[in-house]
Amino acid sequence: MTGTSEARDGRIGNWKVGVVTSIRRESASGRSITIDVPGWGGNIAGQHTDVRLTAANGYTAVRSYSVASAGVGDRIELAVDRLPTGEVSPYLVDTLREGDELELRGPLGGWFVWTPQQTESVQLIGGGSGIVPLMAMIRSHEASGSDSPFRLLYSVRTPLDAFFRAELESPSANLEVTWIFTRRAPSGCPRPAGRITAADLEAHGFPAALSPTVFVCGPTGFVETVATALVALGHEPSRVKTERFGGA
Amino acid sequence: MAVISRGFVGRGGEVNPDLPAGQYLTADFPVLSAGPTPHIETVDWQFSIRTDEETLHTWSWDELHALPIEDINTDIHCVTRWSKLGTSWRGVSLDTLFATVKTTDKYVMARSYGGYTTNVPLADLLGGQAWIALEFDGDKLDPEHGGPARLLIPHLYFWKSAKWIHGLEMQSQDEPGFWEQNGYNMYGDPWLEQRYW
Amino acid sequence: MVEPIDGNALAGPLSDLFTFDPTTASARCAGCGDVSVLARAMVYGEPDTFVVRCANCDDVLMTIVQAPDRFCIELRGMTWLKIPR
Ligand SMILES: Cc1cc2nc3c(=O)[nH]c(=O)nc-3n(C[C@H](O)[C@H](O)[C@H](O)COP(=O)(O)OP(=O)(O)OC[C@H]3O[C@@H](n4cnc5c(N)ncnc54)[C@H](O)[C@@H]3O)c2cc1C
Ligand SMILES: [Zn+2]
């Protein structure tokens, strides 16, 4: 390490070394990874971290991942979906093992966040792995005993693609969960499989008149469709917060 | 010391002696973009070369297609580290376009639909080194890869091969374009690894 | 990557430069005058290079090029940046 980067020690943006403590399968292509990161120091729900991988020849690759956990302490949970042709996600999903070291910086981002001090209604809308920062909000909401009303619309291809399925199938009293299946709905599901529409937002989301804060997260195409529909339904653009995960 | 990630190779984790330093081979054609993709109808499309305030040489889509169209087989190298070997293109040579243009200026600013700019020495556009490319791999260029037409200067890093090319402007000095102002090298020779300032 | 992400994602790369979280700072677009937090801007580009555009008019607000030995950051598209303290 050079002198200048040593002088910057202690800042949020410094790379910290975490150790993977456990890995859990979430879906066919995704898993959650629990990491102990000395010096992390807790995070607010909705924040993310940058992960840096280094190859033996020194080549590095950096990507952002939302943190699924919230609160104090140095233990965090990430959840990653494998993009088959990607560089970093297949490594995190297929190669990384318990006990491996991982470099991270964070907690990052003070905008796409929810804190228990907020009392207004909150509408969460996630597509695929876009559930991750919303999960941190749901957990923070429950852990803090907040009585602000929460609703989640979670869009996934099939039931098997859902992250945090067990946790979301038995939500707490202040949380209402609506599932949207885009490719295959389970039998008995009244809504036929298909992409999210303005009608879904209208039927299951908080109405614009209630001025909820809305958090939308997922692949860029999904976020843009939802954000446009929300504004068309009368939601104040400044109350709609987005986190785009990108897309080819 | 950085932590080595056990089992991680990544796209740049292997050295390939056949490629310029720091490059890796890809079979795909990754799309990089600095902004929204402009969609330009060929009826509205125009290409021009400006030599001074008064003199503008212009070509419509049809006029360009009336010129000789060459087959180009070449390797390309992107500053984001991918290289692609043996790509095939079709396009009009800049030699053909400059045949009727008189200028004493030695430098060129390429301008694209959407506002992108990049600078090149005129000498690098002539002598069978550069084209206005209209087709890639047997198909017309799709907008994501710079269609309807892009500049193709394969001996320089690929950011010089401006997508959505709209025109060239002669300049007496080598002024920096979009990336060149913001950190990329003025010239961009991949074999000399001229990535940044 | 073709599709843009939100300015939120700049929190990491910019943490090398700022001691505060710049993504919650508001910036005025020199092109259209729109004032918005950086987290709402549209970010294009690769992991090492970012083009940050105004969400309202698509003009370039800022570019960030992370070379191995230095950072090149260009802010010509902003009239100002207001930082919460
Ligand atoms: C703030 C933020 C939070 C995020 N949180 C999460 C999260 O919680 N969980 C999660 O799973 N994801 C999350 N993401 C997405 C994540 O950062 C990565 O983009 C994702 O994991 C894909 O990375 P990758 O390295 O696997 O793919 P990349 O290598 O980045 O490739 C992405 C796509 O582009 C194509 N591509 C790009 N370059 C090339 C090339 N040179 N050659 C060939 N193909 C190429 C690939 O085919 C692929 O389809 C988040 C993103 C952001 C911005
Ligand atoms: Zn603007």
Side-chain angles (χ1 to χ4, degrees):
Chain A
M1 231 184 221
T2 66
T4 39
S5 35
E6 259 161 355
R8 293 170 182 167
D9 273 359
R11 299 180 331 159
I12 290 293
N14 280 335
W15 293 101
K16 303 169 177 75
V17 180
V19 178
V20 176
T21 59
S22 66
I23 288 175
R24 193 181 69 205
R25 190 185 143 96
E26 293 289 341
S27 72
S29 59
R31 60 183 192 172
S32 52
I33 305 164
T34 304
I35 311 165
D36 276 342
V37 190
W40 178 262
N43 63 274
I44 309 169
Q47 287 190 296
H48 67 275
T49 176
D50 287 349
V51 171
R52 176 165 73 184
L53 303 181
T54 304
N57 71 348
Y59 170 81
T60 60
V62 177
R63 297 291 185 279
S64 301
Y65 292 95
S66 299
V67 182
S69 51
V72 295
D74 287 345
R75 175 165 292 190
I76 63 170
E77 186 186 14
L78 309 181
V80 179
D81 198 29
R82 182 202 308 113
L83 243 146
T85 54
E87 181 171 37
V88 171
S89 62
Y91 177 87
L92 296 176
V93 173
D94 302 327
T95 309
L96 191 73
R97 288 197 302 241
E98 283 173 22
D100 280 347
E101 287 183 329
L102 206 53
E103 283 187 296
L104 305 105
R105 69 177 166 200
L108 300 172
W111 170 253
F112 192 84
V113 294
W114 181 82
T115 63
Q117 286 87 326
Q118 290 174 243
T119 53
E120 77 280 13
S121 303
V122 173
Q123 178 68 54
L124 309 173
I125 306 173
S129 56
I131 188 68
V132 177
L134 310 182
M135 199 63 213
M137 295 178 191
I138 288 168
R139 288 169 168 174
S140 173
H141 178 245
E142 182 162 10
S144 64
S146 156
D147 50 19
S148 105
F150 261 47
R151 282 188 188 174
L152 167 70
L153 259 77
Y154 184 16
S155 164
V156 287
R157 282 193 212 100
T158 74
L160 296 178
D161 292 301
F163 281 21
F164 309 113
R165 189 165 154 201
E167 219 172 319
L168 292 172
E169 276 176 346
S170 50
S172 71
N174 281 331
L175 171 68
E176 217 178 283
V177 179
T178 303
W179 295 85
I180 297 194
F181 300 101
T182 61
R183 295 261 177 86
R184 185 176 59 76
S187 53
C189 178
R191 184 189 180 280
R195 296 201 168 201
I196 194 163
T197 62
D200 294 313
L201 301 176
E202 207 169 4
H204 305 290
F206 284 120
L210 213 69
S211 299
T213 296
V214 190
F215 293 94
V216 189
C217 184
T220 296
F222 173 86
V223 171
E224 280 175 5
T225 306
V226 171
T228 307
L230 286 167
V231 172
L233 287 173
H235 289 268
E236 188 61 45
S238 65
R239 301 200 71 87
V240 179
K241 295 193 171 186
T242 52
E243 183 85 281
R244 290 166 175 80
F245 278 4
Chain B
M1 256 321 278
V3 172
I4 305 297
S5 313
R6 182 193 55 78
F8 177 66
V9 179
R11 296 193 180 116
E14 272 165 28
V15 177
N16 189 330
D18 297 335
L19 297 177
Q23 296 295 111
Y24 67 86
L25 199 58
T26 179
D28 308 324
F29 193 169
V31 179
L32 303 171
S33 70
T37 300
H39 292 267
I40 306 124
E41 298 295 328
T42 52
V43 288
D44 303 325
W45 184 89
Q46 191 187 55
F47 175 73
S48 64
I49 300 176
R50 179 178 288 285
T51 47
D52 56 53
E53 292 282 303
E54 290 88 50
T55 324
L56 190 67
H57 304 257
T58 64
W59 291 266
S60 70
W61 187 252
D62 290 340
E63 285 165 347
L64 196 81
H65 282 75
L67 298 173
I69 295 183
E70 303 180 0
D71 289 306
I72 309 129
N73 210 288
T74 186
D75 303 341
I76 53 181
H77 309 288
C78 179
V79 71
T80 61
R81 301 185 181 275
W82 56 263
S83 290
K84 205 169 158 54
L85 303 183
T87 58
S88 62
W89 305 77
R90 281 168 60 76
V92 176
S93 168
L94 265 295
D95 292 308
T96 307
L97 295 166
F98 270 99
T100 56
V101 174
K102 280 201 177 57
T103 179
T104 53
D105 289 333
K106 296 212 157 38
Y107 300 97
V108 178
M109 183 68 80
R111 296 187 182 277
S112 295
Y113 287 98
Y116 180 79
T117 56
T118 187
N119 57 303
V120 214
L122 178 58
D124 286 85
L125 294 182
L126 303 177
Q129 298 188 89
W131 296 264
I132 301 297
L134 306 164
E135 288 178 27
F136 170 74
D137 218 7
D139 281 314
K140 62 182 174 45
L141 266 187
D142 60 30
E144 288 185 350
H145 289 300
R150 76 181 296 161
L151 198 55
L152 179 64
I153 321 173
H155 69 288
L156 300 179
Y157 277 128
F158 215 43
W159 86 80
K160 296 284 185 182
S161 294
K163 294 196 263 189
W164 315 300
I165 189 72
H166 190 19
L168 304 177
E169 226 172 82
M170 302 310 303
Q171 42 187 26
S172 57
Q173 285 178 354
D174 198 11
E175 300 290 341
F178 178 77
W179 283 121
E180 295 82 2
Q181 282 170 36
N182 298 338
Y184 284 9
N185 192 270
M186 285 294 274
Y187 185 63
D189 182 343
W191 295 97
L192 299 176
E193 222 185 337
Q194 294 173 333
R195 296 177 195 275
Y196 306 104
W197 285 340
Chain C
M1 221 179 262
V2 207
E3 296 189 5
I5 55 177
D6 293 85
N8 287 319
L10 297 174
L14 290 178
S15 67
D16 279 339
L17 295 165
F18 296 96
T19 53
F20 56 92
D21 176 12
T23 63
T24 58
S26 43
R28 182 175 188 275
C29 171
C32 71
D34 189 54
V35 175
S36 173
V37 291
L38 209 50
R40 279 192 183 277
M42 290 285 94
V43 178
Y44 291 82
E46 278 288 290
D48 295 332
T49 300
F50 301 99
V51 180
V52 185
R53 290 181 181 265
C54 172
N56 188 50
C57 76
D58 277 336
D59 270 8
V60 177
L61 294 172
M62 169 175 166
T63 62
I64 304 163
V65 173
Q66 304 177 81
D69 56 342
R70 91 208 93 119
F71 245 99
C72 302
I73 177 166
E74 134 85 322
L75 299 154
R76 211 176 322 171
M78 300 181 186
T79 330
W80 46 252
L81 189 66
K82 254 186 218 160
I83 297 140
R85 313 200 273 183

